[in-house]
Amino acid sequence: MGLYKRYSGKNKWKGKVRNVILAVVLCLLAAVVLFPIFYMIVSSFGEPVESGGGSYSIIPKSISLRSYKFFFEFSPYSFRWILNSLIVAGTVTLSNVIFSTLAGYAFAKIRFPGCQVFFFLLLTAMMVPYQVTQVPLYMLFVNNLHMQDTYVALIAPTLVNCYNVFLAKQFISSVPSALIEAAKIDGCSQPALVFRIVVPMSKTVLAVIAITTFLGEWNTFFWPFLITNSEAMQTIQVGLKNFSYANTTYFAPMMAGATVSALPMFILFFALQKYFLEGVTVGAVKG
């Protein structure tokens, strides 16, 4: 009995030490991840001075909102940058939710000629790096279609994402086929099947697609930077580069703009985090 008590006591002590070590490691990782966000927010309340100033530090000497005022007065298109990002990200998110649902349903529940071939091509397209497609897309929209500095050029390349189609297909495959067959017997058409049965049962994966697509499109820099020349058509991420010149960088106003641009992402994530956490593993559902 005494030996058992000593053994259980050692196990409890080891368990407590393991939990403490794990908590410390997680706190350190959280600090590393959150520090850039903390630095961005704190720096945004500094004075709108140049980053070359030797007196600039992590914690600004004075707290003010002048950098936010400077950001919105710096260019007549400051509000337009935010509006452009909302238009582009919102349109791309909506189109991805719709097209991914339709394509995912087709791959999961409809057997049509070439189904496996098209799905294999979809998986192959997922492996192509994003940067590889930028030059051909730029030549297509600028040289052939003459659509530079347009919303169409900003939106069209990402109207549907291969990964979102794959995610929707994997989730919809778990919807019972018997339920769909019963609806067909009752005279339900394919569009009615999708919007009355499949969509209500796939709210989780659709929320995940919406969140990840909006965040990705809102944060994208490379393609909007390539396809836009005028300030009026720039998105907020591209507009922030206007605060940096060859010999001057308005650091605090840039951080103020970055903080403003991050607010929609924080709001969206915390509003839908329940669905996001429920759906992070939907890709593991067997097809």
Side-chain angles (χ1 to χ4, degrees), residues 100-110 172 180 190 193-194 198:
S100 297
T101 303
L102 297 176
Y105 171 76
F107 281 123
K109 297 299 181 182
I110 301 177
I172 295 174
I180 294 177
Q190 289 289 2
L193 276 174
V194 174
V198 175

Side-chain angles (χ1 to χ4, degrees), residues 163-230:
Y163 177 75
N164 289 339
V165 175
F166 173 75
L167 200 63
K169 185 264 182 187
Q170 292 298 96
F171 188 89
I172 295 174
S173 294
S174 65
V175 175
S177 298
L179 184 63
I180 294 177
E181 293 300 327
K184 288 181 179 178
I185 293 173
D186 289 339
C188 195
S189 62
Q190 289 289 2
L193 276 174
V194 174
F195 294 106
R196 293 184 180 180
I197 297 177
V198 175
V199 170
M201 296 182 68
S202 306
K203 288 182 179 178
T204 301
V205 72
L206 296 183
V208 172
I209 291 174
I211 293 172
T212 55
T213 302
F214 185 89
L215 297 185
E217 197 63 27
W218 182 273
N219 284 325
T220 190
F221 173 83
F222 192 57
W223 176 247
F225 176 68
L226 280 180
I227 205 65
T228 57
N229 282 336
S230 64

Side-chain angles (χ1 to χ4, degrees), residues 222-270:
F222 192 57
W223 176 247
F225 176 68
L226 280 180
I227 205 65
T228 57
N229 282 336
S230 64
E231 284 191 36
M233 288 305 300
Q234 291 177 349
T235 59
I236 181 63
Q237 307 301 340
V238 180
L240 290 176
K241 75 174 180 57
N242 296 317
F243 290 88
S244 179
Y245 300 93
N247 300 315
T248 303
T249 298
Y250 295 104
F251 187 74
M254 184 186 293
M255 292 297 103
T259 303
V260 171
S261 72
L263 287 178
M265 295 185 292
F266 292 148
I267 294 172
L268 179 67
F269 178 78
F270 287 114

